[in-house]
Amino acid sequence: MNIALLGFGVVGSGVYEWCRDREDLHVRRVLVRSEKPQIADIATHDFEDILHDDSIDIVVEVMGGLHPAYEYVTAALKAGKHVVTANKALIAAYYQELTELAKAQGKALLCTAAVGGGIPWLVNLERVKRLDSVQSFCGIMNGTTNFILDAMHTDGSDFSEVLAEAQKLGYAEADPSADIDGLDIQRKAVISANVAFDACLSEADVPVFGIRSILSCDIAAAESRSRICKMLAFGEKSASGAVSCYVEPCFVPSGELEAAVSTNRNVISFVTELTGKESFYGQGAGRYPTAYNAVADCADIIGGVKEFYTSLVRDVPVDNNAASHPYYVRFSGSDEFLSSIEAEKCGEGVVTMPVPVAKMHAWAAKAKEADPGVFIAGLI
Ligand code: HSE
């Protein structure tokens, strides 16, 4: 099959290299912003060259951002081309529209590289759903924040220095706020929840708290309780059919799988009704891991896949007060709500009694106005 790449950055050039020696996948065109001497013969600045080229079977969108990625992807599907993308922001924002368009066109829309970098997470969610029902998922879905937290725990690294290193290594987003504020994970959680539960959540349904304000005293507080601080995403279906889905730092007991995940690695697990917990571990960011999943999606299309991971998009209720647990909270100043839920002191902060997730996140969002340095972490 013939591929057109939209973008030739870290991931795009990885896909190009990966396909170079393959007999079954040929990169015929590459949409670029600036000149790229190594691909001068196939580069174009004009998307129309790709759209109107009937020899292109698959458009691989690795340019990122919402626009013009949205316009290009919808035009490609309408023109009868399969689409592979690593763009979680695009899929999370236009989930219903894009999955329904792909279905109507009978074309593949695959985004395995969008969640978990090189981990085959979404494809395995789809596989397990053929036989079993997914009850919940949980995991580390961001390489940059895991890299930062791991370095802060293992050698006391400074937050800003280790973030700069993650950027140099190609893990962080162009604007690393998306990583450290948890928005990148929020998008991955939206896509995972929608595939897992045949739902149609949007980013607004998923409360998120990031690690921008984490200090070494918070790392010390976690360690004082034999725990490791990790950024986690959660999704769970309750007995009533409602879904909870949220993203937050957590103090994870040091014996747990997630606590042992180092550097830019990710681990994501699902729990199903009959088979229980299964975990998927690997490199969650970087050129070759991410390119691997994009190329693997193309190979699946060669194998006959002509759809998204799920064909159902249901209006599932969201209830983030269904989940509740204690929190570590560091907040300067006094606060009536915090005093009412405080269970004990913990380093520079406190540990609370179990609090519903939506309630805690709503408090934290407001508390930021009084203390921009406020930090919360779930105790799971
Ligand atoms: N910035 C993302 C991360 C890239 O650090 O996980 C992979 O999605």
Side-chain angles (χ1 to χ4, degrees):
M1 280 193 175
N2 291 327
I3 295 177
L5 279 175
L6 308 185
F8 199 70
V10 172
V11 182
S13 55
V15 172
Y16 174 76
E17 283 178 41
W18 211 301
C19 292
R20 218 165 20 197
D21 300 323
R22 290 188 66 97
E23 295 289 313
D24 56 350
L25 287 168
H26 309 280
V27 178
R28 287 279 184 244
R29 300 309 303 254
V30 183
L31 184 70
V32 293
R33 281 199 198 104
S34 55
E35 301 310 322
K36 306 280 179 202
Q38 70 274 43
I39 50 159
D41 53 333
I42 53 172
T44 175
H45 296 297
D46 188 354
F47 175 66
E48 299 287 313
D49 289 344
I50 289 166
L51 191 63
H52 300 301
D53 182 340
D54 291 338
S55 75
I56 305 286
D57 307 291
I58 310 174
V59 167
V60 178
E61 187 272 304
V62 281
M63 59 199 301
L66 287 181
H67 303 285
Y70 164 79
E71 287 74 14
Y72 291 171
V73 162
T74 48
L77 286 169
K78 284 178 185 165
K81 300 182 190 306
H82 301 290
V83 169
V84 168
T85 176
N87 191 336
K88 53 249 165 184
L90 176 73
I91 299 294
Y94 293 99
Y95 187 85
Q96 184 159 7
E97 182 182 333
L98 291 179
T99 55
E100 287 182 355
L101 175 60
K103 189 174 172 183
Q105 294 295 114
K107 294 291 159 190
L109 171 64
L110 297 176
C111 58
T112 312
V115 186
I119 303 175
W121 163 246
L122 291 177
V123 284
N124 276 290
L125 257 187
E126 183 275 323
R127 260 174 81 85
V128 77
K129 283 176 60 199
R130 292 184 214 165
L131 305 179
D132 206 349
S133 156
V134 178
Q135 307 295 295
S136 65
F137 68 84
C138 162
I140 296 170
M141 294 189 178
N142 181 272
T144 302
T145 47
N146 201 58
F147 188 78
I148 294 170
L149 292 171
D150 183 43
M152 289 180 84
H153 270 288
T154 48
D155 56 23
S157 291
D158 173 75
F159 183 96
S160 319
E161 278 171 24
V162 72
L163 171 60
E165 201 183 331
Q167 285 177 285
K168 248 190 265 157
L169 289 166
Y171 303 155
E173 298 299 302
D175 175 1
S177 303
D179 295 297
I180 61 178
D181 292 331
L183 306 177
D184 173 80
I185 313 174
Q186 186 188 42
R187 293 165 188 148
K188 292 168 177 170
V190 164
I191 299 169
S192 300
N194 288 348
V195 173
F197 308 126
D198 299 320
C200 191
L201 270 55
S202 68
E203 289 164 44
D205 294 315
V206 180
V208 57
F209 197 93
I211 60 163
R212 182 183 286 274
S213 58
I214 194 168
L215 300 175
S216 54
C217 65
D218 304 318
I219 298 288
E223 289 178 358
S224 74
R225 296 185 166 238
S226 304
R227 288 168 180 260
I228 306 288
C229 185
K230 294 289 179 190
M231 265 304 269
L232 294 182
F234 296 88
E236 185 163 12
K237 190 170 65 179
S238 72
S240 71
V243 164
S244 63
C245 187
Y246 54 96
V247 175
E248 62 187 23
C250 286
F251 287 179
V252 181
S254 52
E256 294 293 326
L257 180 61
E258 290 77 9
V261 175
S262 63
T263 62
N264 71 327
R265 302 293 203 284
N266 287 190
V267 68
I268 321 177
S269 310
F270 54 62
V271 176
T272 63
E273 197 177 328
L274 301 175
T275 55
K277 182 170 175 176
E278 282 184 39
S279 302
F280 301 85
Y281 167 83
Q283 291 211 51
R287 179 191 305 262
Y288 294 113
T290 313
Y292 159 76
N293 258 334
V295 178
D297 281 350
C298 294
D300 281 346
I301 292 170
I302 293 175
V305 170
K306 282 203 191 84
E307 51 199 6
F308 188 64
Y309 307 90
T310 170
S311 55
L312 285 175
V313 181
R314 291 179 302 134
D315 201 5
V316 173
V318 180
D319 181 7
N320 281 308
N321 278 321
S324 118
H325 48 249
Y327 280 87
Y328 163 83
V329 182
R330 178 177 47 72
F331 176 74
S332 67
S334 61
D335 179 88
E336 205 179 314
F337 173 69
L338 191 55
S339 306
S340 73
I341 55 170
E342 178 179 329
E344 55 185 312
K345 303 281 177 215
C346 181
E348 316 263 313
V350 299
V351 166
T352 70
M353 293 180 286
V355 186
V357 167
K359 200 167 182 182
M360 192 70 224
H361 279 253
W363 175 83
K366 212 159 168 15
K368 270 186 194 167
E369 291 165 17
D371 173 15
V374 63
F375 181 72
I376 66 166
L379 263 74
I380 56 160

